[in-house]
Amino acid sequence: MAVSLQKGQKISLSKEAGGELTQVKLGLGWDVFQGPQEKKGGFLGKLFGGGTGGDSIDLDASCIMFDSNKQAVDAIWFSQLKSKDGSIVHTGDNRTGDGDGDDEVINVDLSKVPANVVSLVFTVNSFTGQTFETVENAFCRIVNANNNTEVARYNLSSQGTHTAMIMAKVYRHNNEWKMHAIGETASGRTFHDLMPAITPHA
């Protein structure tokens, strides 16, 4: 049974998974907010123009790798879908709605993350500048890639005029990997714009 995280909560991934985790998927998802008169079924199809007018918003997921000095070591985003060391791979935009509801997925091989990297911070931002007033049901979740079992999920309800969110952090602590639900709002078109807000959480 996956853990449902609250903002600020921290958990041990191996403890929740019932054993050491090496291959994990971080899935991020969201819906387009529509008024009660326009409520429609389906999860992703309308995010990318499968409807009328303002029915679409394309958020971009990023992962920033930090060392113990809170210095960014590498970043995985739509312009670089794979970390230089190969431990983290972004699967790119999901524009079909297929699958289990994740709009974007970042695969992480925790066993290959370099020893100098102590934390991975995951963000989503609106490159087009649309605000989260048009977003609902945003979430991030950790999945054990070896058996496709969801380990933890963090649902966010934060709508507003921000254009980005610092979702969560996966970090090393006492030789094990943990997850911290952050859920802080920010503004920026790419992760570069978000760095002043991201770094304190690294």
Side-chain angles (χ1 to χ4, degrees), residues 66-67 70-71 118-119 121 169 171 182 197-202:
F66 287 93
D67 64 18
K70 296 196 174 189
Q71 295 296 309
V118 299
S119 65
V121 179
K169 174 174 75 170
Y171 65 102
I182 298 173
I198 294 171
T199 303
H201 297 285

Side-chain angles (χ1 to χ4, degrees), residues 65 82-89 107-110 112-114:
M65 307 171 76
K82 187 175 183 179
S83 61
K84 295 180 179 70
D85 57 69
S87 64
I88 301 176
V89 179
N107 293 303
V108 182
D109 186 340
L110 294 173
K112 292 184 178 178
V113 173

Side-chain angles (χ1 to χ4, degrees), residues 1 13 30 34 59 64 67 124 129 131 138 168 189 201:
M1 186 72 179
L13 292 179
W30 52 84
Q34 299 181 24
L59 300 182
I64 302 91
D67 64 18
V124 292
T131 71
R189 296 176 68 238
H201 297 285

